[in-house]
């Protein structure tokens, strides 16, 4: 029986956070001091992660995304990629990374069986990049993007969180990147996630801002099929461009009705929705595949019809949302 929830949504996608640690501290994801880190014994071992993947694959999970924190800071990550790629039933293996370590790892990841990467990049200005990430060097990510293109980890997608007063004046520069290279730039709305984050009210901008900026710059956006298949983005391209532009509106036009995702947090809790606090630990049932599969179905049964980030972010709490930043839940 495939994984179908109470609202008829089929689930074939598992996002796995392999660590809560990171080599950056992005303003929308972590507080000034970073986040309190889990200890090594708190986080799932690779062997434990593989048990969840194998149990899920038998239930119809075919797509896996490795994320974090920053997945490339966890020791032995290339080995995990190789092991997940060889689990029967897994046909698409992707990673979300800040790209800093991609120059070092892109070739090995490709060889191990990684199909594609999403690289997070919010600004093309070195000083601004240092500010948003609190310590990052832009050139390292740009080199990471080149490494991903060279290794054909495609489609190479860029994740760009749109922030009023921070990168809103760079929208056209990002759009132009798609003209020159086969890059798929996806603008994402700022989400009010985590208790440290006070930036949402000041910096949230709806993605209609991107459409307007494109119009004003004379760069018409025509709808195109999504690169790499299904997903939450609306996809467009500029005539003659080698890449595409994606708009991901978790707030202004949420896509909960098409949600096909489950999430495994770094410490081993299974979540059906990024936003709400509900989650169940997998550790107690890891050695019993039937019980683990029953737990996966159970988590899905409790999946809410939608998140309420917009209501909570603007008006205060409807019911408590996730009080952890994305680095802990896995973005
Ligand atoms: N460290 C990796 C990276 O940055 O790509 C993977 C983990 S990160 C948590 C995954 C994605 O979540 C990134 O693209 C990041 O921009 C996004 N993200 C984190 N906090 C966010 C927020 N408050 N609103 C929107 N996107 C957010
Ligand atoms: Fe690290 Fe990614 Fe969070 Fe930035 S968004 S602090 S790179 S986990």
């Amino acid at each position: 029986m495939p994984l179908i929830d109470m609202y008829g949504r089929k689930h074939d996608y598992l996002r796995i956070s392999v660590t809560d640690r990171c080599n950056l501290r992005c303003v929308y994801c972590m507080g000034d001091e970073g986040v309190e880190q889990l200890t090594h014994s708190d986080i799932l071992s690779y062997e434990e992660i593989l048990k969840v993947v194998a149990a899920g694959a038998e239930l119809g999970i075919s797509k896996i995304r490795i994320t974090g924190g920053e997945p490339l800071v966890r020791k032995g990550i290339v080995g995990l990629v190789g092991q997940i790629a060889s689990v029967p039933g897994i046909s698409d293996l992707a990673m979300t990374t800040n790209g800093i370590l991609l120059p070092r790892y892109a070739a090995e990841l490709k060889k191990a069986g990684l199909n594609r990467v999403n690289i997070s990049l919010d600004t093309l200005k070195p000083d601004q990049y240092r500010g948003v990430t609190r310590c990052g060097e832009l050139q390292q990510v740009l080199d990471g993007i080149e490494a991903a293109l060279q290794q054909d980890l495609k489609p190479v997608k860029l994740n760009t969180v749109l922030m009023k007063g921070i990168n809103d004046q760079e929208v056209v520069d990002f759009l132009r990147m798609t003209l020159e290279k086969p890059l798929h730039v996806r603008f994402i709305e700022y989400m009010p996630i985590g208790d440290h984050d006070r930036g949402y009210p000041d910096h949230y901008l709806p993605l209609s801002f991107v459409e307007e900026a494109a119009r004003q710059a004379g760069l018409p956006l025509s709808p195109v099929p999504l690169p790499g298949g299904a997903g939450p983005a609306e996809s467009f391209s500029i005539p003659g461009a080698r890449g595409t532009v994606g708009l991901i509106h978790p707030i202004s036009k949420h896509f909960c009705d098409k949600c096909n995702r489950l999430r495994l947090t770094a410490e081993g809790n299974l979540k059906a929705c990024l936003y709400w606090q509900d989650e169940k630990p997998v550790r107690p049932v890891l050695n019993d595949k039937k019980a683990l599969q029953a737990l996966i179905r159970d988590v899905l049964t409790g999946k809410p019809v939608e998140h309420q980030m917009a209501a909570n972010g603007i008006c205060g709490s409807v019911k408590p949302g996730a009080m952890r930043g994305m680095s802990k839940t896995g973005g």
Side-chain angles (χ1 to χ4, degrees):
M1 265 264 289
L3 290 168
I4 297 178
D5 75 0
M6 283 172 46
Y7 305 96
R9 296 172 293 198
K10 187 171 165 205
H11 287 65
D12 58 3
Y13 185 11
L14 177 65
R15 294 168 78 105
I16 303 170
S17 173
V18 293
T19 179
D20 61 330
R21 297 183 183 217
C22 189
N23 45 359
L24 300 179
R25 295 197 309 280
C26 301
V27 288
Y28 45 70
C29 182
M30 293 189 185
D32 284 357
E33 309 297 323
V35 291
E36 200 188 314
Q37 290 177 344
L38 300 168
T39 62
H40 188 67
S41 60
D42 288 332
I43 63 170
L44 287 188
S45 66
Y46 289 155
E47 196 190 338
E48 290 173 318
I49 290 174
L50 280 165
K51 286 183 181 173
V52 180
V53 173
E58 287 184 10
L59 299 178
I61 297 287
S62 59
K63 302 179 203 170
I64 300 282
R65 176 171 298 276
I66 299 175
T67 179
E70 172 50 40
L72 294 180
V73 302
R74 184 157 173 193
K75 225 167 129 194
I77 189 70
V78 175
L80 179 72
V81 166
Q83 286 174 302
I84 295 180
S86 59
V87 171
I90 301 303
S91 54
D92 183 28
L93 179 53
M95 180 180 283
T96 302
T97 167
N98 59 33
I100 297 280
L101 292 173
L102 271 180
R104 193 194 299 175
Y105 287 118
E108 286 179 61
L109 289 166
K110 177 73 181 181
K111 212 164 146 205
L114 189 72
N115 300 120
R116 56 202 179 90
V117 285
N118 288 19
I119 302 171
S120 301
L121 179 61
D122 301 323
T123 169
L124 299 169
K125 298 179 180 167
D127 286 350
Q128 189 74 279
Y129 186 77
R130 236 170 266 127
V132 170
T133 61
R134 295 202 182 93
C135 56
E137 288 303 320
L138 176 67
Q139 192 56 49
Q140 293 180 314
V141 191
L142 298 178
D143 292 347
I145 294 170
E146 279 309 314
L149 288 170
Q150 271 172 23
Q151 293 301 327
D152 227 12
L153 286 165
K154 68 179 185 194
V156 177
K157 298 182 183 177
L158 303 188
N159 286 358
T160 303
V161 178
L162 181 65
M163 289 171 278
K164 182 160 62 179
I166 296 182
N167 62 0
D168 49 350
Q169 298 310 308
E170 294 186 62
V171 165
V172 172
D173 298 335
F174 274 102
L175 293 174
R176 290 215 163 98
M177 284 176 91
T178 70
L179 296 174
E180 293 146 22
K181 297 195 172 169
L183 289 172
H184 304 277
V185 175
R186 294 133 40 93
F187 292 96
I188 303 173
E189 287 178 341
Y190 195 135
M191 294 183 276
I193 283 199
D195 54 358
H196 62 272
D197 186 14
R198 307 279 170 258
Y200 175 79
D202 291 338
H203 299 301
Y204 169 77
L205 263 182
L207 290 187
S208 49
F209 183 89
V210 172
E211 294 172 274
E212 187 50 35
R215 225 179 337 268
Q216 284 185 13
L219 298 171
L221 296 178
S222 318
V224 290
L226 276 178
E234 290 175 343
S235 195
F236 302 89
S237 78
I238 299 166
R242 297 180 66 197
T244 64
V245 177
L247 301 181
I248 302 183
H249 314 250
I251 309 290
S252 66
K253 279 189 215 172
H254 69 69
F255 36 83
C256 301
D257 60 328
K258 294 186 203 68
C259 186
N260 63 345
R261 298 150 184 222
L262 288 166
R263 292 167 194 270
L264 184 62
T265 67
E267 73 267 53
N269 292 331
L270 205 57
K271 283 174 80 73
C273 175
L274 169 68
Y275 188 60
W276 300 115
Q277 284 179 342
D278 313 75
E279 54 192 42
K280 294 202 167 150
V282 296
R283 265 206 172 115
V285 291
L286 274 181
N287 292 324
D288 177 346
K289 194 169 74 183
K290 287 267 170 301
L292 177 54
Q293 290 178 330
L295 180 97
I296 295 173
R297 288 196 187 281
D298 189 33
V299 167
L300 198 61
T301 305
K303 182 160 177 147
V305 64
E306 61 184 24
H307 69 65
Q308 289 183 9
M309 285 188 212
N312 276 359
I314 294 162
C315 328
S317 193
V318 173
K319 155 185 159 179
M323 283 301 129
R324 295 191 296 194
M326 293 277 270
S327 65
K328 287 211 161 169
T329 308

